[in-house]
Amino acid sequence: MFRIGAYNRAVGENSVFALPYHESTMALLILSTPDMFDVAFRKWVVSKTMEFGSFDDVAESISSPIQNFLEDRLEVLCEKLQEDEEIFEILHDYSMTPQRRPKILMQTCGHVAGAAFYYQPRNFQEDGIQWPAAGRMGPNLKFIGLSLHPVYGGHFAFRSVLIFPNVLIQDFCEKVPRPILTAVEDVREALEKFNYNWKDSGFRDFGNPSRRYSTTQMEFFGRPVSERWEVLRPWIDGGAKNID
Amino acid sequence: QVENAKIERCMEDNEHNLINLLSNTNIEVDRTHLAQLKEEAMEEIQANAADVEIELSAIEAPKLLKKEMKFLFPKMETHKMNNVTVFNLTQKSEFDMKAWSEAMEEEREKLTASFIMSANAICSTLHRFGYWADFIDPSSGRPYMGDYTNHTLFETNDAYKQMGFKIEDLGCCKVLQHACWGSNAFVGTIFTDAPVDGSAVRDILKKVTQEIDE
């Protein structure tokens, strides 16, 4: 939970990213943990396969399975809120304005809400040394910050933010995010692994998380979108076998 | 130059409407100032137009697009139309549309304004031929002339896959890919009930191609 004002102060009150709500407006950040994929999403894929008739039919029809799955689950929540006549807005990590600007900066939300410490490259600079070294990121790609969770390390993802314009919590104190890494060299190493080698999921293990993604999950998110469905085929073809 | 004439006619119409509106409220228009603004606007459009590579295509509206049209133009009963033609006007962009930045957004706003100018001109022509024509405002995803809809159409919609574009799924978001310009492309879409092989559509394609070649 966090107040919109805390987020707006973090991004800058006059920034294009500042959200147009009263500063005491209540907001809830939803993030997914390893079980989202390994348990809930897996169940959903199996039930969709039964609905569509075959794995290939689902894969053909649903191009963004994670997004579809999350929309299905969130719909239940949204309907309940509407039933109770709660006014709310929901923003997702993939929400963009028509000009393709992200509607919300999730890593900043995560830090402001105290969920995950946001390590930004600019906070780990050393006088006279250029870090990170120039030219290692691909064309049009920036060297970006990394959020690490106290329990899950990098084995989690920010998903959605629920905003309640009619709920004001001016006396609320946001949790302070726990810094998992303290040594500057560790932070730099984590940021480099994340920016240069994210596909091998190595960055997720910084801070020695107690709960992690399964091998299947890491494989899934490490592949280009068009190759992801194939990773899930064993969930169907493998029958009741316990596949990790 | 014929395009510019159309744009001028469009501006004239707007000017007449503005003047009428203002005269109804007893506000006098400073015609000298207005004439100067018009001239400046035309100069800027021409200056921008010279720098941007564009491509205009016209095809029969594909299945996925017709599905969207039912929700975008509910009153038009587009599913009953004999012909539904769609123009896609692509502008090559300096910035890669995959990555947001302030400069990229600024460019998108310029490209949006250019598209709206051109789309208005194309629709005026189609209206004069007696056809229905409308387009999607890229800044909102909604019809520019038609009634407000809850439904929106953006260039990352799967329908564009059936119109010669690729939609690349990056995992965090989708981006449109033009056959030649990749993700350095900005597309706007115009809809009409003029037949795709009729003279109205052929005229428009010819004039725009001439403009490009000049």
Side-chain angles (χ1 to χ4, degrees):
Chain A
M1 186 180 300
F2 61 99
R3 289 162 300 168
I4 293 294
Y7 172 83
N8 284 351
R9 271 188 297 280
V11 297
E13 302 277 1
N14 295 319
S15 152
V16 292
F17 294 103
L19 294 169
Y21 302 95
H22 187 277
E23 61 169 0
S24 306
T25 302
M26 178 177 87
L28 294 176
L29 171 63
I30 301 175
L31 52 85
S32 61
T33 64
D35 280 353
M36 177 217 85
F37 181 99
D38 297 317
V39 179
F41 177 60
R42 181 169 179 166
K43 279 197 195 130
W44 182 89
V45 168
V46 171
S47 97
K48 282 289 175 185
T49 305
M50 296 199 292
E51 188 189 312
F52 278 75
S54 79
F55 179 80
D56 287 306
D57 283 339
V58 199
E60 178 76 41
S61 323
I62 301 179
S63 59
S64 308
I66 296 279
Q67 197 173 306
N68 248 249
F69 156 74
L70 287 168
E71 279 167 11
D72 280 356
R73 294 296 293 267
L74 286 170
E75 202 182 313
V76 180
L77 172 64
C78 293
E79 275 171 12
K80 185 74 182 62
L81 288 169
Q82 277 156 5
E83 256 173 57
D84 293 348
E85 291 179 13
E86 288 296 340
I87 309 291
F88 68 97
E89 297 287 342
I90 185 163
L91 297 175
H92 306 287
D93 60 328
Y94 54 81
S95 298
M96 291 191 288
T97 65
Q99 304 306 15
R100 299 182 60 83
R101 185 200 330 138
K103 285 193 180 176
I104 192 156
L105 299 173
M106 284 297 190
Q107 291 167 310
T108 303
C109 275
H111 191 99
V112 164
F117 198 98
Y118 179 29
Y119 296 93
Q120 294 185 73
R122 61 184 161 97
N123 295 335
F124 297 91
Q125 295 297 313
E126 226 177 275
D127 277 339
I129 301 180
Q130 159 150 49
W131 180 82
R136 277 194 65 179
M137 295 303 294
N140 221 33
L141 290 175
K142 269 175 61 180
F143 189 92
I144 61 174
L146 170 65
S147 296
L148 289 175
H149 190 282
V151 173
Y152 307 107
H155 296 265
F156 82 99
F158 297 117
R159 296 295 175 187
S160 309
V161 170
L162 287 162
I163 303 171
F164 298 89
N166 292 346
V167 181
L168 302 181
I169 49 172
Q170 73 186 52
D171 294 330
F172 179 74
C173 277
E174 287 81 13
K175 229 172 77 181
V176 175
R178 179 144 71 87
I180 310 306
L181 304 175
T182 41
V184 176
E185 310 81 59
D186 290 344
V187 175
R188 293 224 189 109
E189 199 192 332
L191 284 168
E192 286 179 359
K193 287 229 99 180
F194 178 53
N195 279 279
Y196 304 143
N197 310 102
W198 60 269
K199 289 181 192 171
D200 65 20
S201 278
F203 73 90
R204 301 188 196 275
D205 289 332
F206 278 85
N208 276 317
S210 47
R211 301 284 307 280
R212 301 170 72 243
Y213 284 175
S214 66
T215 324
T216 306
Q217 182 167 185
M218 290 192 281
E219 176 75 38
F220 183 89
F221 288 117
R223 286 210 188 173
V225 175
S226 53
E227 294 173 28
R228 287 181 178 181
W229 266 113
E230 269 316 296
V231 179
L232 308 181
R233 192 180 287 276
W235 280 357
I236 307 302
D237 291 353
K241 258 202 298 216
N242 215 2
I243 296 125
D244 186 351
Chain B
Q1 275 35 37
V2 186
E3 273 304 308
N4 286 345
K6 283 185 209 131
I7 292 171
E8 276 195 52
R9 239 167 309 179
C10 181
M11 288 175 79
E12 252 175 67
D13 287 343
N14 287 342
E15 187 184 330
H16 283 145
N17 290 338
L18 245 177
I19 292 171
N20 284 337
L21 185 67
L22 291 174
S23 68
N24 287 341
T25 53
N26 289 326
I27 298 173
E28 268 300 330
V29 161
D30 182 340
R31 289 174 193 266
T32 329
H33 182 61
L34 191 58
Q36 191 192 344
L37 285 178
K38 267 173 64 182
E39 207 184 294
E40 283 171 17
M42 284 303 297
E43 274 169 25
E44 197 177 322
I45 292 164
Q46 275 158 5
N48 284 338
D51 299 334
V52 180
E53 280 183 64
I54 68 167
E55 181 193 83
L56 182 66
S57 71
I59 56 167
E60 204 184 306
K63 209 168 91 178
L64 283 179
L65 193 68
K66 284 209 182 129
K67 262 171 56 179
E68 301 296 318
M69 286 176 76
K70 265 199 352 225
F71 300 106
L72 291 165
F73 310 105
K75 289 207 183 127
M76 292 309 303
E77 296 192 302
T78 50
H79 53 283
K80 292 190 183 159
M81 290 175 178
N82 279 332
N83 304 295
V84 184
T85 300
V86 55
F87 288 93
N88 279 312
L89 180 61
T90 309
Q91 297 176 75
K92 184 177 180 197
S93 64
E94 191 192 319
F95 286 89
D96 189 330
M97 297 290 121
K98 275 189 205 162
W100 180 85
S101 68
E102 274 179 27
M104 169 267 200
E105 179 158 351
E106 222 181 278
E107 185 185 22
R108 281 185 73 90
E109 277 166 12
K110 274 206 203 121
L111 296 172
T112 299
S114 295
F115 169 71
I116 291 176
M117 273 278 169
S118 303
N120 262 320
I122 290 172
C123 287
S124 292
T125 306
L126 291 162
H127 293 160
R128 266 195 296 275
F129 271 90
Y131 296 111
W132 164 76
D134 198 349
F135 61 96
I136 299 298
D137 180 346
S139 66
S140 67
R142 297 188 168 90
Y144 191 82
M145 301 173 190
D147 290 340
Y148 177 89
T149 56
N150 262 333
H151 201 75
T152 54
L153 179 72
F154 291 107
E155 47 182 11
T156 46
N157 190 293
D158 277 345
Y160 284 90
K161 285 189 199 171
Q162 294 181 342
M163 298 194 278
F165 300 95
K166 278 208 174 86
I167 304 294
E168 191 188 352
D169 193 331
L170 301 170
C172 57
C173 61
K174 292 185 179 173
V175 73
L176 176 127
Q177 300 265 10
H178 179 265
C180 302
W181 303 326
S183 44
N184 286 67
F186 181 90
V187 180
T189 304
I190 300 156
F191 302 81
T192 180
D193 61 357
V196 66
D197 48 6
S199 50
V201 172
R202 271 189 287 119
D203 259 15
I204 289 165
L205 286 173
K206 211 169 83 175
K207 276 164 192 164
V208 174
T209 325
Q210 269 172 10
E211 286 273 313
I212 301 172
D213 292 342
E214 263 155 30

